[in-house]
Amino acid sequence: MDTQETIKQQVTTHPVVLYMKGTPQAPQCGFSAHAVKVLNACGVNNLFAVNVLAEPEFRQGIKEYSNWPTIPQLYINGEFIGGSDIVTEMYQSGELQKLLQEKKDQAAS
């Protein structure tokens, strides 16, 4: 399986996926740390995180997959949501919480 196929499998089989620098327990950049903080504030406890520093093929591969130049990148139910700035804006407006609640509701039914 090549990198693009692996990324597609990851984002479609896990409800919440974050491609980040470092891990949720030890983020290696401020933007990744902030994205984790926002997801924690939303009550996300099933985060599938990919450390692009430990897996360099994903560092470039995810940028090509999403056509988005920066990391972190958040996916919910296979849909690319955005980077740290978009995640923050969505959190502040309540959109992110609504999207995550819809994900929970779909999983429960």
Side-chain angles (χ1 to χ4, degrees), residues 92-104:
Q92 291 171 341
S93 73
E95 287 179 75
L96 185 61
Q97 297 88 320
K98 183 180 175 187
L99 187 60
L100 289 164
Q101 184 59 49
E102 289 171 0
K103 176 208 57 92
K104 281 184 186 176

Side-chain angles (χ1 to χ4, degrees), residues 29-42:
C29 86
F31 295 110
S32 291
H34 186 71
V36 169
K37 183 178 175 182
V38 167
L39 292 170
N40 286 339
C42 290

Side-chain angles (χ1 to χ4, degrees), residues 1-13 57-58:
M1 188 178 309
D2 73 4
T3 302
Q4 295 300 306
E5 291 170 341
T6 301
I7 291 169
K8 182 176 182 178
Q9 181 188 29
Q10 289 172 337
V11 302
T12 57
T13 59
E57 67 274 14
F58 289 107

Side-chain angles (χ1 to χ4, degrees), residues 18-29 32 49-54:
L18 183 65
Y19 291 86
M20 62 181 293
K21 294 178 181 175
T23 65
Q25 299 78 21
Q28 297 294 306
C29 86
S32 291
V50 178
N51 180 357
V52 300
L53 299 177

